Amino acid sequence: MSEIEKFTPWRQRKILTDIADTGAAALNTAEGAAFIEQLYKHLSPSLSAVAKSWGYHVDDDEIVNMIIERVLSTRNDSDKCPVRYAAGADDPWGYLWQCARRWAQEMWGTRGLPLEYAEFTGYEPFRENESTEDGTTLKEVVDSTLAILAQVIDPKHVEAVSELLWWIAINPPQRLSYEVDDRVAAHRHCPSLTIEQVVAVIKIARGSRHRTEETSLFGQFLKNAEFRFSDSGSHTRALTHFKNAFRAGERGSLALTEWI
């Protein structure tokens, strides 16, 4: 079987624009068929892995059909047409991936974070259809954390950091002896960030070792959706450390082999 090369950004924008303009007609072309192949090859495997981490087995056909149905059914949304927004994004495939993951979550939900997470974060996670006492959901935790981090990083990294935060949220840490493996897996999921940037995001989300409750943004937002980091000296210092580490990491390594 021949390898299916990933569309270039130009080619991604072209087919996404065609779909936004003509809908299903764009898919009934040779380029439309190639686009569907792209979904099978470059989006479905990752989304299938995410669904599995949520506790669901979803095959490639179901995932691709879901993406196509949502792309077509929302293309006439005058306020925000996802496929047209994707066509205009710096990373069209990355934007489409974000949309696909959100659609998947709406369809399947998540089963929350396993209880083992508490060993590292100092708080009890919650499961599907549950929330904390004040009604906080996992999406709110991720969105609130991203809103803070976005204030201190270059806008070009916001999409990748969002992707990484979701990976962290739905992939609980392994035992401390597997910490490096855990970080490598996170970097493999977000290869556009450097090693140093990946580590910085993991630390601010989960908290620094031995001081998780005082430095974890996830932990605080799970406890209190109205948490303001400016009210916590330890979290303010952790954010400053994150900002400096993330910016310094800009010139770090992107190579997975450097973890060894």
Side-chain angles (χ1 to χ4, degrees), residues 19 21 26 40 70-71 104 127 139 159 161 163 169 208 224 234:
I19 293 171
D21 289 341
Y40 275 103
R70 289 300 184 98
V71 162
R127 300 194 180 281
K139 182 179 186 301
E159 205 166 281
V161 170
E163 179 75 17
S208 299
N224 176 16
S234 62

Side-chain angles (χ1 to χ4, degrees), residues 20-233:
D21 289 341
T22 65
L27 297 177
N28 295 327
T29 64
E31 191 68 354
F35 167 75
I36 293 173
E37 282 188 324
Q38 293 286 299
L39 297 182
Y40 275 103
K41 176 65 177 180
H42 299 296
L43 283 188
S44 181
S46 296
L47 198 54
S48 177
V50 169
K52 184 177 180 181
S53 72
W54 290 345
Y56 299 95
H57 174 73
V58 186
D59 62 34
D60 289 341
D61 288 338
E62 184 174 353
I63 290 172
V64 171
N65 288 336
M66 180 270 293
I67 295 173
I68 292 174
E69 187 278 327
R70 289 300 184 98
V71 162
L72 294 178
S73 65
T74 58
R75 75 179 189 87
N76 291 321
D77 186 338
S78 58
D79 293 329
K80 185 174 181 180
C81 169
V83 69
R84 197 175 296 282
Y85 269 67
D90 290 337
D91 179 8
W93 241 227
Y95 189 94
L96 185 61
W97 157 253
Q98 293 286 348
C99 292
R101 187 182 60 195
R102 184 177 69 252
W103 296 331
Q105 187 178 8
E106 290 171 358
M107 289 185 66
W108 308 316
T110 67
R111 295 192 187 280
L113 303 174
L115 292 176
E116 290 82 0
Y117 209 176
E119 176 186 350
F120 297 88
T121 57
Y123 55 80
E124 292 291 323
F126 53 94
R127 300 194 180 281
E128 184 182 13
N129 299 323
E130 293 183 340
S131 62
T132 57
E133 291 182 2
D134 65 352
T136 307
T137 66
L138 188 60
K139 182 179 186 301
E140 289 170 330
V141 169
V142 173
D143 288 348
S144 296
T145 300
L146 179 62
I148 290 176
L149 302 189
Q151 298 175 39
V152 297
I153 64 176
D154 191 307
K156 69 181 180 182
H157 293 307
V158 170
E159 205 166 281
V161 170
S162 173
E163 179 75 17
L164 181 54
L165 288 174
W166 269 107
W167 188 95
I168 295 168
I170 61 180
N171 288 277
Q174 303 299 311
R175 297 190 303 274
L176 291 178
S177 58
Y178 291 97
E179 184 176 52
V180 173
D181 291 340
D182 187 50
R183 293 179 174 184
V184 172
H187 194 197
R188 183 176 290 112
H189 192 71
C190 295
S192 64
L193 298 177
T194 67
I195 289 174
E196 294 80 1
Q197 289 174 323
V198 168
V199 171
V201 175
I202 291 175
K203 284 184 176 180
I204 194 66
R206 291 177 176 168
S208 299
R209 192 183 301 177
H210 307 308
R211 300 184 66 241
T212 54
E213 291 194 53
E214 302 136 271
T215 57
S216 167
L217 287 181
F218 275 11
Q220 286 303 312
F221 283 121
L222 276 170
K223 292 177 180 178
N224 176 16
E226 303 302 318
F227 168 71
R228 295 190 305 176
F229 77 91
S230 58
D231 291 340
S232 168

